[in-house]
Amino acid sequence: MTAVRGTSVDIPTQDGTADAYLTHPDDSTPHPAVLLYMDAYGLRPHLKKMADRVARAGYTVLVPNVFYRHGRAPVVELPDVIDPAGRSEIFERLGPIMTSLTPDLAMRDADAYLRWLTACPLTTDGPVGIAGYCMGAGLALRTAGTFPERVAAVAGFHGGRLATDQPDSPHLLADRITAEVYFGHADQDPSLPPEQINRLDEALSAAGVRHHSEIYTGAHHGFTQADTAAYDSTADERHWTALLALLDRAL
């Protein structure tokens, strides 16, 4: 098994400093870069373990705290395992923080993350791959559409509100995407009903984007997150197979 080295780093942005986790194979050589966008619960031990697994496959992975304007991670204190009983209380605190991250602010930050990865001596030249979970799937899609020349692969899992009827919906950037795209949708996910899945697929197809969408039958929103009650080990392993295959093809 490949040994990896993880460390905390700070990313300068136009609005301050984003704390982040950087992990890479422990061989002191450059590797293709992957930007991993967090779910709403934020940068925490479980996401670091996920990033380490990507790094063991041969990538340099950056996981920024996208809520850095509200403090360093953890922005909201979390239990070791997030269960339905505590979820509503956590989201009472997270809701306003999530809403404050507007598309404009998020893409201003994305520019900083991508520039930092480009300058990092542990990354190879060339476009990056992006993986996003929950709200991070929308950030991944939006980043690929905003910076098409910098992104070669996008994977989103149990994403919510990816193709709404709002004027700033992420799917409206489909015609700018040049990356290969993969989505793994949970079929038990009220944040992405079938009509949005269809709208997203139609937009990607109409734009000629290389993409593949799969429905993970029986999976719930958050199925990749082992520190939550939504975790589904079978769906999670399916997600790892799809994600690493995409990165291997595109990077």
Side-chain angles (χ1 to χ4, degrees):
M1 181 177 295
T2 301
V4 300
R5 177 174 295 184
T7 186
S8 296
V9 296
D10 287 336
I11 312 295
T13 75
Q14 292 185 46
D15 299 314
T17 301
D19 53 307
Y21 179 68
L22 180 74
T23 181
H24 54 89
D26 190 14
D27 58 8
S28 301
T29 62
H31 294 272
V34 174
L35 175 61
L36 195 156
Y37 275 127
M38 63 187 226
D39 63 350
Y41 294 124
L43 180 56
R44 59 195 192 281
H46 172 63
L47 280 188
K48 293 179 180 181
K49 290 179 182 178
M50 294 182 71
D52 286 345
R53 182 163 176 176
V54 178
R56 283 196 296 272
Y59 302 96
T60 294
V61 187
L62 181 71
V63 192
N65 167 24
V66 304
F67 295 153
Y68 71 88
R69 292 177 180 83
H70 299 270
R72 298 180 74 86
V75 175
V76 171
E77 292 297 329
L78 299 169
D80 292 337
V81 177
I82 303 166
D83 60 27
R87 189 176 185 276
S88 60
E89 181 180 345
I90 292 169
F91 270 92
E92 284 180 10
R93 290 173 285 164
L94 281 177
I97 296 173
M98 295 171 64
T99 302
S100 71
L101 186 64
T102 65
D104 286 345
L105 289 179
M107 291 305 96
R108 203 153 73 195
D109 293 342
D111 181 48
Y113 306 149
L114 293 171
R115 288 179 183 275
W116 192 92
L117 280 168
T118 297
C120 178
L122 294 168
T123 64
T124 55
D125 293 336
V128 308
I130 305 180
Y133 300 86
C134 178
M135 60 169 281
L139 294 175
L141 183 62
R142 197 179 296 280
T143 301
T146 305
F147 305 101
E149 71 285 357
R150 300 195 221 173
V151 181
V154 175
F157 299 92
H158 48 80
R161 300 182 59 79
L162 297 176
T164 71
D165 57 5
Q166 297 301 305
D168 60 355
S169 177
H171 81 286
L172 297 176
L173 295 171
D175 62 352
R176 300 194 59 208
I177 293 173
T178 58
E180 182 178 352
V181 175
Y182 174 90
F183 281 105
H185 305 300
D187 74 339
Q188 306 295 310
D189 190 350
S191 71
L192 195 74
E195 58 268 25
Q196 286 199 41
I197 293 174
N198 292 336
R199 187 181 296 149
L200 174 61
D201 282 341
E202 289 169 1
L204 293 170
S205 294
V209 176
R210 293 167 295 159
H211 73 283
H212 185 56
S213 295
E214 294 186 322
I215 306 298
Y216 287 39
T217 304
H220 293 262
H221 184 82
F223 61 80
T224 62
Q225 304 301 303
D227 59 351
T228 75
Y231 181 65
D232 182 321
S233 60
T234 300
D236 183 35
E237 284 306 312
R238 179 179 174 185
H239 128 266
W240 280 114
T241 298
L243 172 60
L244 296 178
L246 171 67
L247 296 177
D248 186 54
R249 286 194 304 273
L251 302 183

